[in-house]
Amino acid sequence: MENFGYDSDITFLKNDTLIDECLLYYNLRYEQAKDADPLLDKDRLIKLIDTHLRPVPVFSYPKLIKINKMGSLKQRTVFIFPTEEMKLLKYLNFAINSLELPIHPNCYSFQRGKHIAEAINSLRKKGNFRLSCIKIDIKDYFNSIDISDIDSWLPAEIHQHVYIKSIIIYLLQRDEVLIDGKTAHYPKRGVMAGMPLAPTLSNLYLRSFDVLMSENFAAYTRYSDDMLIFCETDSVEEAYQFIKNELKYRGLEINEKKTQTYSPYMGYEFLGLYINSNGVDLSEATIARMKGKISRHARSLYRWRIKNSVNSQKAAAVMNRKFNRKFFGDGAEETDFTWSKYFFGVITVDKGLKIIDRYYQEAIRTLETGKHAKINYKTFPYKLLKEAGYRPLVSEWYRWYKKPHKE
């Protein structure tokens, strides 16, 4: 690998301002988290650059890991590098994104300062409810991206940084991975889900597709492998075939099981939300998944309570701490997914939150008897729930709305 542009790109990557911005961005997100591991300090980051970003880059083979998909027997494949190499790749991803990449405005995934609320609000303002809506999911998107012709889809902003481009190619075109500690060949891995550069590369790969969809349909929005396309009802089948063929041309396949078509005015589900002309709420699938988590945890805690002779109030406090973290981010890292961060700024009605609140209260009361029973309401009244740290989603959502927020 020739090292054209090596010196200038290393100078760019060692720029004090860029490093300080990156460390501030990442390390502040660990400030409130207990036992958190910050990204790196500046000296360590520069040492990693010197160690790994030589004229010929030096990185370990990624470890291939299979992760169970929630609610399914299927697994997804991710690729993980050693911890400090992952941190260096996070910095490299930050640096690449500082180049003001030409990601299409209708793509809303994995971009600092861009929130899915913008996509939802844009779709609702355009009055698309009179149109049919097609929801598309791409099967195994990250690991299916065609890297054989990567020069054709990387933008000029990256081509101008010849050495940085060579790092990307080096990482993607090696086909060796570690499986159970042994080196193996695994050629079909695309941009490697789990690798810190993968989200940015996935946004760039479908740039031409994003343009095509935006030009040919009344409205179009994409978040990674999920997309919504709006068209007239009598052209739904034609539109679907057009989309399918364009994705196939790019080596991608539609996940037929997750594809849905919605008739005009009936509303549609997207990214865990249900959107119609009346507002935005939690989707039925989101509510069902959360009910499952609540129920499983309540049963597990009841068994733990009985085994260890713990009173129900203490068990309730344990459960509340877990779900306050999940719902509101209590004790969580800034980068963790929480309901308040993701949903509160998007939903406009509280119906779904009320359903979850009622279900949660009933589930936490089962910590007293192990089953749903009227006596639970006497032995575990609402006052005790609150004393154990319970915070209703509905009241927290209304309180959130009264405060100013930074995007």
Side-chain angles (χ1 to χ4, degrees), residues 282 290-291 293-294 319-330 332 337-344 353 356-357 360 390-393 396:
L282 304 176
M290 182 50 66
K291 281 183 174 181
K293 289 179 182 179
I294 293 169
M319 184 163 172
N320 285 328
R321 281 197 298 273
K322 176 183 176 67
F323 283 93
N324 285 345
R325 179 183 177 111
K326 184 177 294 293
F327 289 142
F328 314 116
D330 291 6
F337 172 89
T338 66
W339 272 42
S340 61
K341 187 190 305 181
Y342 185 84
F343 290 122
F344 278 16
L353 296 180
I356 296 296
D357 277 344
Y360 186 87
Y390 170 60
R391 294 163 61 188
L393 281 165
E396 291 291 333

Coordinates of all heavy atoms in Angstrom, one line a residue, residues 282 290-291 293-294 319-330 332 337-344 353 356-357 360 390-393 396:
L282 N -46.4 5.7 20.8 CA -45.6 4.4 20.8 C -46.3 3.4 19.9 O -47.5 3.3 19.9 CB -45.5 3.9 22.2 CG -44.9 4.8 23.3 CD1 -44.9 4.1 24.6 CD2 -43.4 5.2 22.9
M290 N -41.8 -3.8 25.6 CA -41.6 -3.3 27.0 C -42.4 -4.1 28.0 O -41.9 -4.3 29.1 CB -41.9 -1.8 27.0 CG -41.7 -1.2 28.4 SD -40.0 -1.5 29.1 CE -39.0 -0.7 28.0
K291 N -43.6 -4.4 27.7 CA -44.4 -5.3 28.6 C -43.7 -6.6 28.9 O -43.7 -7.1 30.0 CB -45.8 -5.6 28.0 CG -46.8 -4.4 28.1 CD -48.2 -4.9 27.5 CE -49.2 -3.9 27.8 NZ -50.5 -4.3 27.2
K293 N -40.4 -7.1 28.8 CA -39.3 -6.9 29.6 C -39.7 -6.7 31.1 O -39.1 -7.2 32.0 CB -38.5 -5.6 29.2 CG -37.8 -5.8 27.9 CD -37.1 -4.5 27.5 CE -36.4 -4.7 26.1 NZ -35.7 -3.4 25.7
I294 N -40.8 -5.9 31.3 CA -41.3 -5.7 32.6 C -41.7 -7.0 33.3 O -41.4 -7.2 34.5 CB -42.5 -4.7 32.6 CG1 -42.0 -3.3 32.2 CG2 -43.2 -4.6 33.9 CD1 -43.1 -2.3 31.8
M319 N -36.2 -2.9 41.2 CA -36.9 -2.9 39.9 C -37.0 -1.5 39.4 O -36.8 -1.2 38.2 CB -38.3 -3.5 40.0 CG -39.0 -3.6 38.7 SD -40.4 -4.8 38.8 CE -41.1 -4.5 37.2
N320 N -37.3 -0.5 40.3 CA -37.4 0.8 39.9 C -36.1 1.4 39.4 O -36.1 2.2 38.5 CB -38.0 1.7 41.0 CG -39.5 1.5 41.2 OD1 -40.2 1.2 40.3 ND2 -40.0 1.6 42.5
R321 N -35.0 1.1 40.1 CA -33.7 1.5 39.7 C -33.4 1.1 38.3 O -32.9 1.9 37.5 CB -32.6 1.1 40.7 CG -32.6 1.9 41.9 CD -31.2 1.7 42.7 NE -31.1 0.3 43.1 CZ -31.5 -0.2 44.2 NH1 -32.2 0.6 45.1 NH2 -31.3 -1.4 44.6
K322 N -33.7 -0.2 38.0 CA -33.4 -0.7 36.6 C -34.2 0.1 35.6 O -33.7 0.5 34.6 CB -33.8 -2.2 36.6 CG -33.6 -2.8 35.2 CD -34.1 -4.3 35.2 CE -34.0 -4.8 33.8 NZ -32.6 -4.9 33.3
F323 N -35.5 0.2 35.8 CA -36.4 0.8 34.8 C -36.3 2.4 34.8 O -36.5 3.0 33.7 CB -37.8 0.4 34.9 CG -38.0 -1.0 34.4 CD1 -37.9 -2.1 35.2 CD2 -38.2 -1.2 33.0 CE1 -38.0 -3.4 34.7 CE2 -38.3 -2.5 32.5 CZ -38.2 -3.6 33.3
N324 N -35.9 3.0 35.9 CA -35.6 4.4 35.8 C -34.4 4.7 35.0 O -34.3 5.7 34.3 CB -35.4 5.0 37.2 CG -36.7 5.1 38.0 OD1 -37.8 5.1 37.4 ND2 -36.6 5.3 39.3
R325 N -33.4 3.8 35.0 CA -32.3 3.9 34.1 C -32.7 3.7 32.6 O -32.3 4.5 31.8 CB -31.2 2.8 34.5 CG -30.0 2.9 33.6 CD -29.0 1.8 34.0 NE -27.8 1.7 33.1 CZ -26.6 2.1 33.5 NH1 -26.4 2.5 34.7 NH2 -25.6 2.0 32.6
K326 N -33.5 2.7 32.4 CA -34.0 2.5 31.0 C -34.9 3.6 30.5 O -34.7 4.0 29.3 CB -34.7 1.1 30.9 CG -35.1 0.7 29.5 CD -35.7 -0.7 29.5 CE -34.7 -1.8 30.0 NZ -33.6 -1.9 28.9
F327 N -35.8 4.0 31.3 CA -36.7 5.1 30.9 C -36.1 6.5 30.9 O -36.3 7.2 29.9 CB -38.0 5.1 31.8 CG -38.9 3.9 31.7 CD1 -39.5 3.3 32.8 CD2 -39.1 3.3 30.4 CE1 -40.3 2.2 32.6 CE2 -39.9 2.2 30.3 CZ -40.5 1.6 31.4
F328 N -35.4 6.8 31.9 CA -35.0 8.2 32.1 C -33.5 8.4 32.1 O -33.0 9.6 32.2 CB -35.6 8.7 33.4 CG -37.0 8.4 33.6 CD1 -37.5 7.6 34.7 CD2 -38.0 8.9 32.7 CE1 -38.8 7.3 34.8 CE2 -39.3 8.6 32.9 CZ -39.8 7.7 33.9
G329 N -32.7 7.3 32.1 CA -31.3 7.5 32.1 C -30.6 7.7 33.4 O -29.5 8.1 33.5
D330 N -31.3 7.4 34.5 CA -30.7 7.5 35.8 C -29.5 6.6 36.0 O -29.6 5.4 35.9 CB -31.8 7.1 36.9 CG -32.9 8.1 37.0 OD1 -33.0 9.0 36.2 OD2 -33.7 8.0 37.9
A332 N -27.2 6.2 33.9 CA -26.7 5.6 32.6 C -25.7 6.5 32.0 O -25.5 7.7 32.3 CB -27.9 5.5 31.7
F337 N -29.1 4.2 25.2 CA -30.5 4.4 24.7 C -31.4 4.5 25.9 O -31.4 3.7 26.8 CB -31.0 3.2 23.8 CG -32.4 3.3 23.5 CD1 -32.8 3.9 22.3 CD2 -33.4 2.7 24.3 CE1 -34.2 4.0 22.0 CE2 -34.7 2.7 24.0 CZ -35.1 3.4 22.8
T338 N -32.2 5.6 26.0 CA -33.2 5.7 27.0 C -34.5 6.2 26.4 O -34.5 6.9 25.3 CB -32.8 6.7 28.1 OG1 -32.8 8.0 27.6 CG2 -31.5 6.3 28.7
W339 N -35.6 5.8 27.0 CA -36.9 6.2 26.4 C -37.1 7.7 26.4 O -37.6 8.3 25.5 CB -38.0 5.6 27.2 CG -38.4 4.2 26.8 CD1 -37.5 3.2 26.3 CD2 -39.7 3.7 26.6 NE1 -38.2 2.1 25.9 CE2 -39.6 2.4 26.1 CE3 -41.0 4.2 26.8 CZ2 -40.7 1.6 25.8 CZ3 -42.1 3.4 26.6 CH2 -41.9 2.1 26.1
S340 N -36.7 8.4 27.5 CA -36.8 9.9 27.5 C -36.1 10.6 26.4 O -36.5 11.5 25.8 CB -36.4 10.4 28.9 OG -35.0 10.2 29.1
K341 N -34.9 10.0 26.1 CA -34.0 10.6 25.1 C -34.6 10.4 23.7 O -34.6 11.3 22.8 CB -32.6 10.1 25.2 CG -31.6 10.7 24.3 CD -30.3 10.0 24.3 CE -29.7 9.8 25.6 NZ -28.4 9.0 25.6
Y342 N -35.1 9.2 23.5 CA -35.5 8.8 22.1 C -37.0 9.2 21.9 O -37.3 9.8 20.8 CB -35.4 7.3 21.9 CG -35.7 6.8 20.5 CD1 -34.7 6.9 19.5 CD2 -36.9 6.3 20.2 CE1 -35.0 6.5 18.2 CE2 -37.2 5.9 18.9 CZ -36.2 6.0 17.9 OH -36.5 5.6 16.7
F343 N -37.9 8.9 22.8 CA -39.3 9.0 22.5 C -39.9 10.3 23.0 O -40.8 10.8 22.3 CB -40.1 7.9 23.2 CG -39.9 6.5 22.6 CD1 -39.4 5.5 23.4 CD2 -40.2 6.3 21.3 CE1 -39.2 4.2 22.8 CE2 -40.0 5.0 20.7 CZ -39.5 4.0 21.5
F344 N -39.4 10.9 24.1 CA -40.1 12.1 24.7 C -40.2 13.2 23.7 O -41.2 14.0 23.7 CB -39.4 12.5 26.0 CG -39.9 11.7 27.2 CD1 -40.5 10.5 27.0 CD2 -39.6 12.1 28.5 CE1 -40.9 9.7 28.1 CE2 -40.0 11.4 29.6 CZ -40.6 10.2 29.4
L353 N -47.9 5.7 26.7 CA -47.2 5.8 28.0 C -48.2 5.4 29.2 O -47.7 4.7 30.1 CB -46.8 7.3 28.2 CG -45.7 7.8 27.3 CD1 -45.4 9.3 27.7 CD2 -44.4 7.0 27.3
I356 N -48.2 1.6 29.4 CA -47.0 1.1 30.0 C -47.1 1.4 31.5 O -46.7 0.5 32.4 CB -45.7 1.7 29.4 CG1 -45.6 1.3 28.0 CG2 -44.5 1.3 30.2 CD1 -45.4 -0.2 27.8
D357 N -47.5 2.5 31.9 CA -47.6 2.9 33.4 C -48.5 1.9 34.1 O -48.2 1.4 35.2 CB -48.1 4.3 33.5 CG -47.0 5.4 33.4 OD1 -45.8 5.0 33.5 OD2 -47.4 6.5 33.2
Y360 N -46.9 -1.5 34.3 CA -45.7 -1.5 35.2 C -46.2 -1.6 36.7 O -45.7 -2.3 37.5 CB -44.9 -0.3 35.0 CG -43.6 -0.3 35.8 CD1 -42.4 -0.9 35.3 CD2 -43.5 0.4 37.0 CE1 -41.3 -0.9 36.0 CE2 -42.3 0.4 37.8 CZ -41.2 -0.2 37.2 OH -40.1 -0.2 38.0
Y390 N -40.7 4.7 42.3 CA -41.5 4.7 41.1 C -41.7 6.0 40.5 O -42.1 7.0 41.2 CB -42.8 3.9 41.3 CG -43.7 4.0 40.1 CD1 -43.3 3.5 38.9 CD2 -45.0 4.6 40.2 CE1 -44.2 3.6 37.8 CE2 -45.9 4.7 39.1 CZ -45.5 4.2 37.9 OH -46.3 4.3 36.8
R391 N -41.5 6.2 39.2 CA -41.7 7.5 38.5 C -42.6 7.2 37.2 O -42.1 6.5 36.3 CB -40.4 8.1 38.0 CG -39.6 8.5 39.2 CD -38.1 8.8 38.8 NE -38.0 9.8 37.8 CZ -36.8 10.1 37.2 NH1 -35.7 9.4 37.5 NH2 -36.8 11.0 36.3
P392 N -43.8 7.7 37.2 CA -44.7 7.4 36.1 C -44.2 8.0 34.8 O -43.7 9.2 34.8 CB -46.1 8.0 36.5 CG -46.0 8.2 38.0 CD -44.5 8.4 38.3
L393 N -44.3 7.3 33.7 CA -43.8 7.8 32.4 C -44.6 9.1 32.0 O -44.1 10.0 31.5 CB -44.0 6.8 31.4 CG -42.9 5.7 31.3 CD1 -43.3 4.5 30.5 CD2 -41.6 6.3 30.7
E396 N -43.6 12.2 33.9 CA -42.2 12.6 33.5 C -42.2 13.2 32.1 O -41.5 14.1 31.9 CB -41.3 11.4 33.6 CG -41.1 10.9 35.0 CD -40.2 11.8 35.8 OE1 -39.4 12.6 35.3 OE2 -40.4 11.8 37.1

